[in-house]
Amino acid sequence: MPRDELPARWAAHHALGPGREFDAVRAMLARWGDLTRGVGDDAAVLDVPPGERLVVSTDASVEDRHFRRAWLTPGEIGYRAATAALSDLAAMAARPLGLLLAITVPGSWRDDLEAIADGIGDAARAAGAPIVGGDLSGGRELAITVTVLGTAASPVGRDGARAGDAVYATGRLGGPLLALRALERGERPDAAYRDRFARPRARIAEARWLAERGATAMIDVSDGLAADLRHVAAASGVRIVLDPDSVAAAAVSGAELADALASGEEYELALTAPRSARVEALEAALGVAIARIGRVEEAGAGGGGVELAGAGEGARVDLPRGHDHFSS
Ligand SMILES: [Mg+2]
């Protein structure tokens, strides 16, 4: 791309020095090729299909907070950052319209910027999301903030779960947590766990398929199944009762019930749907595992929330609560 065609926004900050930033932006745009769309003006202009609604989300990935340099390749860091944001579109059953990036890159990461861009490009391409704008700046830590835009005629929120619905989860849970545990011990994770940690998929097509079948509430598993379903229970004003055997059966080989409940950054979908919706056909239709793991009940006197079946009347199992980024 000739210099005078570079998007102004990409060159609006000068922390890298005008020339070097310019070169960095040009190199990234070259890596993305025809994946970029509408860049070159002060802002992107996108058409929302008639009858659909705009669905927007943003997600930050910060070094030593969301990832560690020693654990992932630069490409995987870029891929995960974009996938995390795209997964939030999936959770709403939205079709991606575009993706915008705000990247803060310290000097020690500058040589990795093209590899990071490749990873972002892989995730965007897999989701069918063109890159429509961005902003590059210097700074102390690598931070990749990804804003995603999508559309849906009927977005699926967290608040639609109704008593009588069944609860489902896609994929096999636990891999990212087991990978993380090994990495924290300074060990090399099992390849299958590492792959789930480093190369998760945003379940875009699966989510839309599930929405068309009648999913009533949906969320992506980013904080952990129990913590994320707690959000659904709270938003819907219901109680979610999980079947421990079914959750354990939905775990990756080697993972236990507690791992499947706690493992975050899965980017699988947790959802509710009436049994009559037959969402289990997802596996035959799109080749992604899905398991019925529980049921939705009235909140009742005990209040809403998430519990494990068989824990006894009123006996709340100590389910994992998920991450709090401000806790340390
Ligand atoms: Mg989410």
Side-chain angles (χ1 to χ4, degrees), residues 185-267:
R185 287 194 303 258
E187 294 166 12
R188 183 196 295 263
D190 179 286
Y193 303 154
R194 191 187 183 286
D195 188 64
R196 289 286 303 126
F197 175 66
R199 304 290 294 184
R201 297 293 298 245
R203 299 294 187 195
I204 301 276
E206 294 83 359
R208 295 177 65 212
W209 188 97
L210 291 163
E212 282 165 16
R213 293 297 146 116
T216 48
M218 196 150 55
I219 193 165
D220 62 321
V221 180
S222 50
D223 290 343
L225 182 68
D228 288 313
L229 281 175
R230 198 175 280 120
H231 296 314
V232 173
S236 298
V238 296
R239 182 202 316 238
I240 287 178
V241 182
L242 295 175
D243 172 43
D245 293 339
S246 304
V247 176
V252 288
S253 149
E256 295 175 3
L257 169 64
D259 304 325
L261 288 167
S263 183
E265 298 177 338
E266 296 274 353
Y267 305 117

Side-chain angles (χ1 to χ4, degrees), residues 60-325:
S61 293
V62 180
E63 184 176 6
D64 292 334
R65 183 58 59 160
H66 300 96
F67 62 86
R68 294 214 195 140
R69 189 173 195 160
W71 293 353
L72 294 159
T73 67
E76 287 165 348
I77 289 166
Y79 175 91
R80 288 176 91 248
T83 297
L86 288 160
S87 178
D88 280 326
L89 282 188
M92 302 296 290
R95 187 171 58 90
L97 198 59
L99 176 155
L100 298 110
L101 299 158
I103 306 178
T104 305
V105 55
S108 60
W109 280 92
R110 269 182 222 167
D111 290 345
D112 298 307
L113 200 51
E114 285 182 54
I116 293 168
D118 281 347
I120 293 168
D122 286 350
R125 200 168 281 113
I131 296 169
V132 299
D135 183 39
L136 185 65
S137 162
R140 271 200 212 125
E141 282 146 350
L142 180 65
I144 305 170
T145 299
V146 183
T147 301
V148 287
L149 308 162
T151 65
S154 306
V156 179
R158 301 173 175 187
D159 59 352
R162 294 293 172 261
D165 284 352
V167 181
Y168 301 87
T170 65
R172 295 271 171 253
L173 302 171
L177 179 63
L178 295 185
L180 211 47
R181 260 189 217 140
L183 289 166
E184 279 170 348
R185 287 194 303 258
E187 294 166 12
R188 183 196 295 263
D190 179 286
Y193 303 154
R194 191 187 183 286
D195 188 64
R196 289 286 303 126
F197 175 66
R199 304 290 294 184
R201 297 293 298 245
R203 299 294 187 195
I204 301 276
E206 294 83 359
R208 295 177 65 212
W209 188 97
L210 291 163
E212 282 165 16
R213 293 297 146 116
T216 48
M218 196 150 55
I219 193 165
D220 62 321
V221 180
S222 50
D223 290 343
L225 182 68
D228 288 313
L229 281 175
R230 198 175 280 120
H231 296 314
V232 173
S236 298
V238 296
R239 182 202 316 238
I240 287 178
V241 182
L242 295 175
D243 172 43
D245 293 339
S246 304
V247 176
V252 288
S253 149
E256 295 175 3
L257 169 64
D259 304 325
L261 288 167
S263 183
E265 298 177 338
E266 296 274 353
Y267 305 117
E268 294 294 347
L269 299 167
L271 61 139
T272 59
R275 290 287 298 277
S276 58
R278 302 195 182 282
V279 297
E280 282 113 326
L282 176 78
E283 190 152 0
L286 296 182
V288 171
I290 187 165
R292 180 158 54 89
I293 56 169
R295 63 182 188 271
V296 180
E297 295 184 352
E298 305 282 357
V306 177
E307 62 188 70
L308 288 175
E313 193 64 42
R316 292 302 174 96
V317 171
D318 192 18
L319 290 166
R321 301 217 59 100
H323 305 289
D324 179 348
H325 290 303

